[in-house]
Amino acid sequence: MTSSVLTPERSSASLRSLLNPIQRELAQFEAMLVAELRSDHPFVDELVRYGCLIGGKRLRPALLLMCGKAVGPLRAEHLTLATVVEMIHTATLIHDDVLDEASTRRHLATVNSRWDNEASVLLGDFLFTHAFHLASTLDTTLACRRIGRATNRVCEGELRQKGSRGDFCLTEAEYFAIIEAKTAELTACSCELGASYAGADEARTAQFRDYGRDLGIAFQIADDVLDLVGDESTAGKSLGTDLAKQKPTLPIIRLMQMVDEGLRQDLIHTLESGVGPRRDALVPLLNRHDAIDYAVERAKSYAERARQHLDGIPPSPAAESLRRLTHFVVNRSA
């Protein structure tokens, strides 16, 4: 991305410091996640435990817990909900790896490369269904209804992205609508549930929901930039999959806007051919037309919007970490 991007070591250290206000609760969440991701059947047990290892950065459960703590004391329900949203997110990652034919995630072999696509699809389904079962154990249906709606939007966003593959005339508005659904909806849901279950009123809950949505959009733009210019050895996952799968992301969309008609048609033809340019061949052109910098600036603008949604939130270590997280998501290397 830019020179302000954190190294992997600094990135990890920065995230750990940001999560200090909820370290105890994160440890409790991890214990619950491990306890839930198990089976009496050896093959299933191996798969679900491996899925736990290659899950995400725990950003969504951390957001849920942090937003709750910024409102008031955390409750047992917060730990259950943190486990639910991480299961759902991990399921989407496992299914994404099948769609992208990715081979690594978090420096480990993906489920589809270590086993096969069938195991990946079934494991993702196992996690989805177990997550909803766990959410149904809460006293009210609020979480099930909100998580159900969010998960449906995530799947719709993925379907819309599938439908846009190879469409290198995709507009920015269409791109943002897709990433708002497939990525930002679950972060918004996590923040909303954290605040709501801590006793926030409707207006305050909406602030946290809007914070999560804009933070999720910033995160996805940064992820799309990393897919083009990141380093696989530091990112810990397969990169270049967006190009390989002909997904028009913001840097590519911006490049199409900036080049002349002749070059645009040549690029579209090359990208649509299925043997499009490798990342290292395309990046100089993206840089020449400031397409990478443009995408980074858009990510930063959404991060700033997320910060503004926290205006009026009473000062606390959790609230301060939420503000600092807006810098982290756009200045990371993985």
Side-chain angles (χ1 to χ4, degrees):
M1 290 166 68
T2 67
S3 59
S4 63
V5 172
L6 297 174
T7 65
E9 295 78 11
R10 288 180 57 204
S11 182
S12 297
S14 174
L15 184 57
R16 283 196 300 271
S17 73
L18 291 175
L19 301 182
N20 276 338
I22 53 168
Q23 283 296 342
R24 182 172 65 87
E25 291 85 0
L26 275 176
Q28 293 172 332
F29 145 74
E30 288 285 355
M32 177 176 282
L33 183 66
V34 169
E36 291 293 336
L37 290 184
R38 61 170 303 279
S39 171
D40 293 332
H41 305 282
F43 177 70
V44 179
D45 192 60
E46 183 183 10
L47 271 174
V48 296
R49 289 185 181 279
Y50 192 77
C52 182
L53 290 176
I54 64 167
K57 300 174 179 63
R58 309 298 197 237
L59 181 61
R60 287 147 194 84
L63 285 169
L64 190 150
L65 295 170
M66 199 84 75
C67 289
K69 202 153 199 177
V71 172
L74 295 179
R75 304 159 51 190
E77 290 90 337
H78 283 96
L79 296 177
T80 300
L81 290 169
T83 304
V84 167
V85 298
E86 183 61 15
M87 283 183 183
I88 289 172
H89 177 58
T90 301
T92 65
L93 295 181
I94 291 168
H95 283 174
D96 278 352
D97 288 340
V98 173
L99 298 174
D100 294 339
E101 300 179 69
S103 59
T104 58
R105 182 174 290 281
R106 291 175 66 84
H107 302 283
L108 295 170
T110 56
V111 175
N112 50 294
S113 64
R114 180 166 172 171
W115 283 276
D116 53 32
N117 287 348
E118 289 182 12
S120 297
V121 171
L122 291 169
L123 176 57
D125 291 348
F126 177 93
L127 293 171
F128 274 128
T129 54
H130 190 61
F132 280 101
H133 165 72
L134 193 57
S136 73
T137 64
L138 299 179
D139 289 340
T140 71
T141 62
L142 170 65
C144 272
R145 285 186 283 111
R146 184 65 186 92
I147 291 168
R149 185 177 68 187
T151 306
N152 185 255
R153 283 209 71 204
V154 170
C155 294
E156 182 182 54
E158 292 285 0
L159 285 168
R160 290 177 66 182
Q161 183 170 71
K162 168 66 176 174
S164 72
R165 286 187 184 183
D167 180 7
F168 294 104
C169 294
L170 193 76
T171 67
E172 285 192 22
E174 290 168 325
Y175 164 81
F176 281 111
I178 288 170
I179 67 170
E180 181 177 342
K182 82 182 190 79
T183 300
E185 183 64 25
L186 190 57
T187 57
C189 176
S190 300
C191 295
E192 177 184 357
L193 289 174
S196 179
Y197 274 81
D201 61 22
E202 188 173 332
R204 185 69 88 203
T205 298
Q207 275 185 267
F208 284 103
R209 180 177 62 244
D210 293 342
Y211 163 84
R213 179 164 286 110
D214 284 336
L215 187 77
I217 292 172
F219 183 97
Q220 185 59 58
I221 297 171
D223 224 44
D224 291 343
V225 171
L226 282 172
D227 193 71
L228 287 167
V229 301
D231 183 341
E232 283 194 0
S233 65
T234 57
K237 63 180 181 179
S238 301
L239 298 179
T241 57
D242 291 339
L243 277 181
K245 292 297 179 179
Q246 300 186 36
K247 296 179 185 178
T249 56
L250 187 57
I252 300 296
I253 292 169
R254 179 62 174 178
L255 178 62
M256 294 299 177
Q257 294 171 349
M258 298 303 293
V259 298
D260 61 45
E261 182 62 22
L263 181 52
R264 184 183 304 115
Q265 291 305 317
D266 288 343
L267 280 170
I268 290 173
H269 175 73
T270 304
L271 290 166
E272 287 178 343
S273 69
V275 289
R278 292 174 7 204
R279 290 193 308 152
D280 55 3
L282 190 60
V283 166
L285 189 60
L286 289 163
N287 286 330
R288 193 177 313 139
H289 292 278
D290 296 324
I292 296 295
D293 286 344
Y294 175 81
V296 170
E297 288 306 312
R298 293 303 305 271
K300 288 179 178 178
S301 71
Y302 273 97
E304 175 59 29
R305 281 177 44 167
R307 273 193 298 278
Q308 291 172 2
H309 289 308
L310 297 176
D311 288 350
I313 302 296
S316 69
E320 178 58 24
S321 282
L322 288 171
R323 289 186 176 88
R324 291 171 58 203
L325 267 169
T326 62
H327 295 285
F328 170 81
V329 297
V330 295
N331 290 304
R332 58 197 169 85
S333 59

